[in-house]
Amino acid sequence: SEVRFDFCAGLYRAPSTLLVKDSVGDYRLTIGNGLFSSVRRAKGSLVGWMNGELVDAEMYERRCSSGRGGYGIAVKDGLILDCYEEYLRDRRPMSYINSSRGAVLTHPTGGIVPSRSNCEYVLHGYAVSVRTTRVVLPSSELLACYGPSYTDYV
């Protein structure tokens, strides 16, 4: 099944050009859904904004160790944008961007090829946007590198 985002309550209005549906690649990690673009996007295009609560590293670690965390982005001044509650509450579309690590896509000839990121997280002080790093074709899954800490984690 697929979910089309026409509006997310709160500060961010998600474009209706984003679709959440089953991830199509063969992944080494179990992931489930992914975020897909239904339109062509130019390199450097804004996909959307991450939403969450700014917390310090100690609070973030406490949340993670209690099983309610693990979806954060380090911003500035040692703070972390904790997106976990936003993800659970509103199912914000940006939270469906999967890691490009371990992802492989099925090639039209039947073989599989390693995928690569087509998005990146961009820091704007305490805010985080998601932008494309190359042209994204319609029906493409949006993938981003989660960084070296994530690579060490999984």
Side-chain angles (χ1 to χ4, degrees), residues 89-108:
R89 179 176 43 247
D90 298 321
R91 297 291 186 181
R92 305 268 180 178
M94 297 305 108
S95 61
Y96 286 99
I97 295 175
N98 287 315
S99 169
S100 57
R101 179 189 182 274
V104 295
L105 301 176
T106 304
H107 191 272

Side-chain angles (χ1 to χ4, degrees), residues 14-128:
S16 60
T17 58
L18 298 173
L19 302 171
V20 173
K21 59 184 183 179
D22 289 339
S23 203
V24 295
D26 174 14
Y27 290 79
R28 284 184 270 160
L29 307 171
T30 303
I31 52 171
N33 289 325
L35 186 64
F36 292 77
S37 179
S38 62
V39 297
R40 183 184 188 278
R41 295 176 187 275
K43 180 179 179 178
S45 298
L46 175 68
V47 176
W49 292 87
M50 299 299 295
N51 292 302
E53 178 185 2
L54 287 172
V55 296
D56 63 28
E58 184 180 323
M59 171 63 78
Y60 183 73
E61 288 300 319
R62 275 201 310 271
R63 289 177 175 182
C64 289
S65 62
S66 70
R68 85 99 315 345
Y71 195 74
I73 301 170
V75 286
K76 68 181 234 179
D77 299 331
L79 296 176
I80 296 170
L81 183 64
D82 184 356
C83 304
Y84 187 75
E85 288 298 321
E86 292 293 319
Y87 166 72
L88 290 179
R89 179 176 43 247
D90 298 321
R91 297 291 186 181
R92 305 268 180 178
M94 297 305 108
S95 61
Y96 286 99
I97 295 175
N98 287 315
S99 169
S100 57
R101 179 189 182 274
V104 295
L105 301 176
T106 304
H107 191 272
T109 61
I112 57 172
V113 294
S115 73
R116 59 188 178 119
S117 298
N118 55 15
C119 292
E120 66 182 347
Y121 298 101
V122 181
L123 297 179
H124 308 271
Y126 300 109
V128 179

Side-chain angles (χ1 to χ4, degrees), residues 7 33 52 59 104 130-131 146-147:
F7 179 75
N33 289 325
M59 171 63 78
V104 295
V130 179
R131 293 198 173 268
Y146 285 4

